[in-house]
Amino acid sequence: MSIIGVGIDVAEIERFATSLERTPGMAERLFLESELLLGSGERRGVASLAARFAAKEALAKALGAPGGLRWTDAEVYVEESGQPRLRVTGTVAARAAVLGVRSWHVSLSHDAGVASAVVIAEG
């Protein structure tokens, strides 16, 4: 296996929250319902959503930042162990296949008003 791409992104949490408030439907355009809700059915907090947004931006960078990727073709989910993972479909899966990506590594964080993510594409 070799590294095909690496992406990193940060999102200012307050700015992201303001964007969500100002733009109705933005959250639904960026995230799948499974990303918007916690396992309990409660709505996920804005810091967590900002980290997921950063992961999607980092994912695009790891793929070479091509145009035409759909936000909802990348899902950030958490395994029972608490480890974040990526599931790709559609436009994102197609680009990953062209590059030979076979697995993903993702790390999320949020602290001091900033959410961040790193994505590594491996093939």
Side-chain angles (χ1 to χ4, degrees):
M1 297 281 249
S2 63
I3 294 175
I4 292 174
V6 177
I8 185 170
D9 197 70
V10 298
E12 185 181 347
I13 296 169
E14 189 58 38
R15 182 175 174 200
F16 186 74
T18 300
S19 294
L20 289 176
E21 291 171 11
R22 186 180 59 236
T23 310
M26 181 178 168
E28 288 73 20
R29 286 193 303 273
L30 295 174
F31 304 107
L32 296 168
E33 185 175 337
S34 59
E35 293 174 298
L36 292 171
L37 302 175
L38 296 168
S40 65
E42 292 179 65
R43 189 158 173 100
R44 189 175 296 282
V46 71
S48 180
L49 289 176
R52 281 158 172 71
F53 176 71
K56 292 179 184 216
E57 287 278 355
L59 169 66
K61 292 173 183 176
L63 292 175
L69 299 180
R70 283 190 221 115
W71 295 108
T72 54
D73 285 349
E75 176 187 9
V76 179
Y77 69 98
V78 179
E79 293 186 336
E80 286 186 28
S81 66
Q83 182 177 8
R85 293 284 189 190
L86 288 170
R87 184 176 295 122
V88 299
T89 59
T91 59
V92 177
R95 175 65 178 170
V98 166
L99 296 175
V101 177
R102 288 190 260 161
S103 64
W104 301 98
H105 305 275
V106 60
S107 180
L108 309 174
S109 186
H110 49 81
D111 188 28
V114 176
S116 61
V118 174
V119 171
I120 299 171
E122 193 173 40

